[in-house]
Amino acid sequence: MRVHIATDHAGLELSAHLQEHLASKGYEVVDHGPKEYDAEDDYPGFCIDAAQAVAADQEAGIDALGIVLGGSGNGEQIAANKVRGIRAALAWNLDTARLARQHNNANVVAVGGRQHSLAEATDIIDAFLAEPFSDAERHVRRIGQIAEYEASGAIAAR
């Protein structure tokens, strides 16, 4: 699996750790930056680049997911979710990471580097990447409704 990763300055240390950790587990890791610490950096471009790469890979049939990191992960999740076809979920524990994949088929996970220890954040990422989508009809239907709104601006009948 290919994993696209992006961060801001607050998640830079976690990003470096995760890149090494995931590569050692056999993932193909693509770093979308930043490459060095800058307390004034602007995360949206990095996160949008990673999300666009996930969307492009998935459209091309490549098994890919994404990780966006920041201090809280909130802004990074918002930025990634602006990319068509991306379902980015903020995960703050193992259950939210697994449920994001099981129920929402999330293809990007956001984690706050200042909210967790290195070990906790690594476990959250590992859980997200390992969890498959359930393919349950109700989840497929709901994701389809979100995709329809994203494409047309129309809300499905309730």
Side-chain angles (χ1 to χ4, degrees), residues 138 140-158:
R138 72 183 190 276
V140 171
R141 181 181 68 247
R142 293 166 185 161
I143 292 166
Q145 291 170 352
I146 294 167
E148 175 61 29
Y149 177 78
E150 183 178 53
S152 71
I155 299 172
R158 294 172 214 147

Side-chain angles (χ1 to χ4, degrees), residues 124-142:
I124 290 168
I125 296 299
D126 284 344
F128 178 84
L129 295 175
E131 193 67 36
F133 178 51
S134 71
D135 280 320
E137 186 278 329
R138 72 183 190 276
H139 300 309
V140 171
R141 181 181 68 247
R142 293 166 185 161

